[in-house]
Amino acid sequence: QKLLHKLGLRQPPNRTARTEGEALALAAEIGYPLVVRPSYVLGGRAMEIVHEQADLERYMREAVKVSNDSPVLLDHFLNNATEVDVDCIADGSDVFVGGVMEHIEQAGVHSGDSACSLPPYSLSDEVVEEIRRQTALMAKALNVKGLMNVQFAIQDDEVYVLEVNPRASRTVPFVSKATGLQMAKLAARVMAGKKIADLDFSAKAKPGYYAVKEAVFPFVKFPGVDTILGPEMKSTGEVMGVGRSFGEAFVKSQMAASVNLPKSGTAFISVRDSDKAEAVEVARGLIDLGFNIVATRGTATAIEAAGLKVKAVNKVTEGRPHIVDMMKNGEIALVINTVEERRNAIVDSRTIRTHALAANLAYYTTIAGALAAVEGLQYMRHGEGLLVYSLQDMHGG
């Protein structure tokens, strides 16, 4: 915190609490919603987003053991922010940024569970340059020799530092495969005393193609499990797709992760209030591709208000026939379901997601994932088709 302040870099307001009473007082000070996590875990275990004091009280009572030696970390949660991962190599004086990866799912989904694109597919050149500048500042200030990973959040073009790790991260293999740059080998040479200026960074130019990493989940092995993504990491592997456009790379990553994107049929859309404007764009894109749209009443009202054709369908709690009946009858080809992070909203819509999994339907539980899927489907309809590229040609070109 002191280092970031000294460098003039932003981070979300945060505090450390050692008792339940202290956590409640500090939470009120920095404001809800909060990301809460124990200081002693990895992989986002026991990490939650809480929206009000009652949620925090339950979390402190049920989820963690808080003490002087095991404090709880409280961070103000940045709503609707884009998360970015950066891997770099530093030698004490020079810093080489190997990859800037834009997450497809919004901040709040664990970085290990989020799909990501290298290079970024929607960030401006100015924001990417600022991310590179801040990464180099921190690497030099920390006197890193070797690999360093930084996680940023971008909200309204403002860059916030979420986490800095002066070590290799899980994204290093992806960056290496996507760029042709052997990051771990080069970092080991730097740690042994070599200088960046003396090493071969021939692949350091921005690639002329997109690489998309997608997470692979074990949900099919656990019938009835909720597939919604959050701050606890659930994925057990990852795959990669490459293409000349983001859409081509994304659709290949979905195929590699065994997500069967339909080319036609009926799409079901039900989203939280904050996603409704983007849900209209998803519906517009799907209708242009020839899909029919059904939606729960609130979402249907927003889509209809935009002049688009949509059929309203009951939630499970509203009586039959409802959306799960349609899924069981094979009437739905694609499911897009986002919910508020509050527990009751997640429980209410759980059956939609579990039945989508059981029926092997393509489903997205974030609006950003749904928008990316539409872009992938547009490529499948209007692009050159599924082309195969050799890594040698891509890295050489």
Coordinates of all heavy atoms in Angstrom, one line a residue, residues 47 56 68 76 107 121 190 204 235 277 295 312 381:
M47 N -13.2 -17.1 -0.5 CA -13.3 -15.7 -0.9 C -14.7 -15.5 -1.3 O -15.3 -16.3 -2.0 CB -12.3 -15.6 -2.1 CG -12.0 -14.1 -2.4 SD -10.6 -14.2 -3.6 CE -10.5 -12.5 -4.1
L56 N -21.7 -10.0 5.7 CA -20.3 -10.0 6.3 C -20.4 -10.7 7.6 O -19.4 -11.4 8.0 CB -19.8 -8.5 6.4 CG -18.4 -8.4 7.0 CD1 -17.4 -9.2 6.1 CD2 -18.0 -6.9 7.1
N68 N -5.3 -12.6 15.3 CA -4.2 -11.8 15.1 C -3.3 -12.4 14.0 O -2.7 -11.7 13.2 CB -3.4 -11.6 16.4 CG -3.4 -10.2 16.9 OD1 -4.0 -9.3 16.3 ND2 -2.7 -9.9 18.0
H76 N -12.6 -3.0 -1.3 CA -13.8 -2.5 -1.9 C -13.9 -3.1 -3.3 O -12.9 -3.2 -4.1 CB -13.8 -1.0 -2.0 CG -15.0 -0.4 -2.7 ND1 -16.2 -0.4 -2.0 CD2 -15.2 0.1 -3.9 CE1 -17.1 0.1 -2.8 NE2 -16.6 0.5 -3.9
A107 N -14.2 -8.5 -13.5 CA -13.5 -8.6 -12.2 C -14.5 -9.2 -11.2 O -15.7 -8.8 -11.2 CB -13.0 -7.3 -11.7
Y121 N -8.7 -7.4 -26.4 CA -9.6 -7.2 -27.6 C -10.5 -6.0 -27.5 O -11.2 -5.7 -28.5 CB -10.5 -8.5 -27.7 CG -11.5 -8.7 -26.6 CD1 -12.8 -8.5 -26.8 CD2 -11.1 -9.2 -25.4 CE1 -13.8 -8.7 -25.9 CE2 -12.0 -9.4 -24.4 CZ -13.4 -9.1 -24.6 OH -14.3 -9.3 -23.6
V190 N 17.8 -14.6 -16.6 CA 17.9 -13.2 -15.9 C 18.3 -13.5 -14.4 O 19.1 -12.7 -13.8 CB 16.6 -12.5 -16.1 CG1 16.6 -11.3 -15.1 CG2 16.5 -12.0 -17.5
K204 N 9.1 -10.4 -29.3 CA 8.5 -9.4 -28.4 C 7.6 -8.4 -29.1 O 6.8 -7.7 -28.5 CB 9.6 -8.5 -27.7 CG 10.4 -7.6 -28.6 CD 11.5 -6.9 -27.8 CE 12.4 -6.0 -28.7 NZ 13.4 -5.4 -27.9
S235 N -11.9 -24.1 -11.8 CA -11.5 -24.8 -13.0 C -10.3 -25.7 -12.7 O -9.6 -25.6 -11.7 CB -11.0 -23.8 -14.0 OG -9.9 -23.0 -13.5
A277 N -28.8 -3.7 -20.5 CA -28.4 -3.0 -21.7 C -27.6 -3.8 -22.6 O -27.8 -3.9 -23.9 CB -27.7 -1.7 -21.3
A295 N -37.1 -15.1 -23.0 CA -36.5 -14.5 -21.8 C -37.5 -14.4 -20.7 O -38.7 -14.4 -20.9 CB -36.0 -13.0 -22.2
A312 N -41.8 -14.0 -23.8 CA -41.6 -14.1 -22.3 C -41.8 -15.6 -21.9 O -42.7 -16.2 -22.4 CB -42.5 -13.2 -21.6
R381 N -20.5 -17.6 -38.9 CA -21.4 -17.4 -39.9 C -20.8 -16.6 -41.1 O -21.0 -17.0 -42.3 CB -22.6 -16.6 -39.4 CG -23.7 -16.2 -40.4 CD -24.4 -17.4 -40.9 NE -25.1 -18.1 -39.9 CZ -26.3 -17.8 -39.4 NH1 -27.0 -16.8 -39.9 NH2 -26.8 -18.6 -38.5

